[in-house]
């Protein structure tokens, strides 16, 4: 299905208009709602990173939550040990997460694929979680690490409103970067590997490098999310990067739509907001969470993004169409 130039212009206008309108949200929210909004932005980056490997590349992987921890710990350690300002640790955390993505997927260069590669990523994630707990001198062990309360260029780490504007800017840049990546030659190669790796290799495309690069970009996104999470919570614990976070990340990908950037945003927003707004009913959070996942997958097997794609070509995604 082709998209007219007018539709493309409308889509571009929507992409930039929504963040601009979102800048007014702190004026109409209370501190609790502001906290939830910040959590949504972190979840969006986390889900985007999960979706890059699971949806766009088509590879089951379990190490993304470990990249999340790498980014969070890198941010806190860089602040405490090196004295770097928090804003400077954001790209650093992304690079550390990308390095984790390389290490977790390096076996792909030796021809390891599919379930075997998934098990390797599971082992990588468990190894890092063990390190978070037992490398007390570096990570603080089970007590975790606290962030210093700093002020840098007027930015205070404990200020949810200031965090929101930084989180929003970082999220918009990385969502746009991911869209551009998926539209590039490399992005088309990632999609081609998902569809048929043998056919892709027959075209002379180095599929192993493509797989490793997808993991590295996923690690970068999730590592940056880790730096935002550390500032958001004010402290990092090993328990924050365990199986529960992994399951929630998978659920956000499935509910939003696998292989869809828009779906990553929708899934993260819905499944972050829902548990927060049913806290008034103790014990019902897990039930509501499970019901939403089941109902969405029964009614929309391709996720929430597929519903918007049916409603308007504005929400079609080029890499998804191809």
């Amino acid at each position: 299905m082709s998209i007219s130039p007018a539709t493309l212009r409308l889509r571009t206008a929507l992409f930039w208009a929504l963040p601009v309108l979102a800048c007014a949200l702190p004026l109409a929210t209370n501190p609790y709602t502001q906290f939830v909004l910040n959590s949504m932005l972190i979840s969006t980056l986390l889900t985007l990173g999960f979706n890059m490997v699971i949806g766009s590349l088509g590879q089951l992987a379990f190490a993304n939550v470990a990249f999340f921890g790498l980014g969070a710990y890198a941010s806190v350690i860089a602040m405490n040990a090196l004295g770097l300002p928090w804003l400077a640790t954001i790209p650093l955390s992304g690079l550390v997460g990308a390095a984790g993505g390389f290490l977790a997927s390096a076996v792909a260069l030796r021809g390891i694929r599919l379930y075997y590669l998934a098990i390797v990523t599971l082992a990588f994630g468990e190894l890092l979680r063990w390190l978070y707990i037992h490398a007390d001198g570096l990570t603080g062990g089970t007590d975790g690490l606290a962030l210093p309360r700093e002020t840098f260029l007027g930015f205070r780490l404990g200020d949810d409103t200031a965090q929101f504007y930084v989180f929003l800017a970082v999220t918009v840049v990385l969502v746009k970067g991911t869209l551009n990546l998926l539209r590039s030659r490399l992005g088309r190669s990632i999609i081609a590997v998902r569809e048929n790796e043998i056919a892709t290799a027959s075209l002379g495309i180095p599929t192993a490098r493509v797989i490793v690069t997808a993991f590295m970009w996923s690690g970068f996104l999730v590592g940056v999310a880790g730096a935002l999470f550390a500032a958001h919570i004010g402290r990092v614990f090993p328990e924050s990067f365990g199986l529960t976070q992994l399951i929630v990340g998978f659920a956000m990908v499935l509910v939003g739509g696998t292989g869809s950037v828009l779906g990553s945003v929708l899934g993260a927003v819905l499944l972050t907001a829902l548990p927060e707004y049913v806290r008034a009913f103790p014990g019902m959070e897990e039930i509501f969470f499970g019901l939403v996942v089941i109902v969405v997958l029964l009614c929309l097997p391709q996720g929430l993004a597929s519903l918007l794609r049916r409603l308007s070509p504005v929400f079609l995604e080029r890499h998804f169409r191809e």
Side-chain angles (χ1 to χ4, degrees):
M1 181 179 181
S2 61
I3 301 178
S4 67
T7 302
L8 286 174
R9 286 195 293 273
L10 176 58
R11 184 160 66 184
T12 302
L14 273 177
F15 179 87
W16 293 112
L18 290 176
V20 170
L21 293 173
C23 288
L25 286 176
L27 302 176
T29 56
N30 57 41
Y32 175 70
T33 305
Q34 189 63 65
F35 182 88
V36 176
L37 288 173
N38 291 358
S39 299
M40 288 178 184
L41 294 171
I42 295 171
S43 296
T44 296
L45 289 182
L46 188 64
T47 311
L48 199 61
F50 273 57
N51 219 341
M52 172 57 66
V53 171
I54 298 170
S56 299
L57 181 64
Q59 172 64 54
L60 185 61
F62 302 99
N64 296 66
V65 74
F67 308 154
F68 189 43
L70 277 177
Y73 276 107
S75 176
V76 180
I77 292 171
M79 292 175 69
N80 288 334
L82 304 178
L84 292 180
W86 174 71
L87 291 174
T89 69
I90 295 176
L92 174 67
S93 296
L95 293 175
V96 171
F102 173 79
L103 292 175
S105 62
V107 294
L109 299 172
R110 303 284 293 175
I112 304 295
R113 297 287 192 277
L114 299 176
Y115 302 113
Y116 301 98
L117 180 54
I119 294 300
V120 171
T121 62
L122 177 63
F124 182 83
E126 287 301 304
L127 173 62
L128 280 184
R129 204 161 68 86
W130 184 88
L131 287 175
Y132 298 154
I133 296 173
H134 295 283
D136 295 33
L138 185 64
T139 64
T142 54
D143 292 334
L145 294 174
L147 274 76
R149 292 294 176 185
E150 69 161 21
T151 300
F152 177 71
L153 296 178
F155 176 80
R156 290 188 296 112
L157 271 179
D159 187 333
D160 283 340
T161 301
Q163 284 183 6
F164 173 77
Y165 290 114
V166 176
F167 290 7
L168 180 64
V170 171
T171 301
V172 170
V173 168
L174 290 182
V175 167
K176 183 63 176 173
T178 302
L179 285 169
N180 289 342
L181 171 68
L182 290 171
R183 290 166 184 159
S184 70
R185 183 175 180 178
L186 173 60
R188 292 195 295 273
S189 298
I190 292 173
I191 304 299
V193 168
R194 178 189 70 188
E195 299 300 327
N196 192 323
E197 183 178 350
I198 295 176
T200 305
S202 70
L203 297 175
I205 296 174
T207 57
R209 294 182 191 175
V210 170
I211 292 172
V212 172
T213 305
F215 267 87
M216 290 179 69
W217 182 248
S218 172
F220 184 86
L221 294 170
V222 178
V224 169
L228 305 189
F229 175 79
H232 186 48
I233 302 300
R235 195 177 186 91
V236 289
F237 299 94
E239 290 79 6
S240 302
F241 315 110
L243 183 61
T244 301
Q245 185 65 63
L246 183 66
I247 293 172
V248 171
F250 279 142
M252 289 176 177
V253 170
L254 294 175
V255 168
T258 55
S260 165
V261 173
L262 175 62
S264 299
V265 178
L266 295 175
V269 168
L270 178 65
L271 292 186
T272 301
L274 184 69
E276 297 294 338
Y277 289 105
V278 296
R279 284 191 191 281
F281 308 97
M284 296 297 289
E285 298 168 37
E286 292 82 1
I287 295 175
F288 273 101
F289 187 93
L291 282 176
V292 168
V293 173
I294 293 171
V295 169
V296 170
L297 293 183
L298 281 175
C299 301
L300 299 166
Q302 292 183 310
L304 295 172
S306 64
L307 177 62
L308 293 181
R309 283 196 290 271
R310 291 177 199 167
L311 295 176
S312 170
V314 171
F315 300 105
L316 283 174
E317 294 171 75
R318 181 178 174 184
H319 68 276
F320 197 86
R321 296 198 317 275
E322 293 175 349

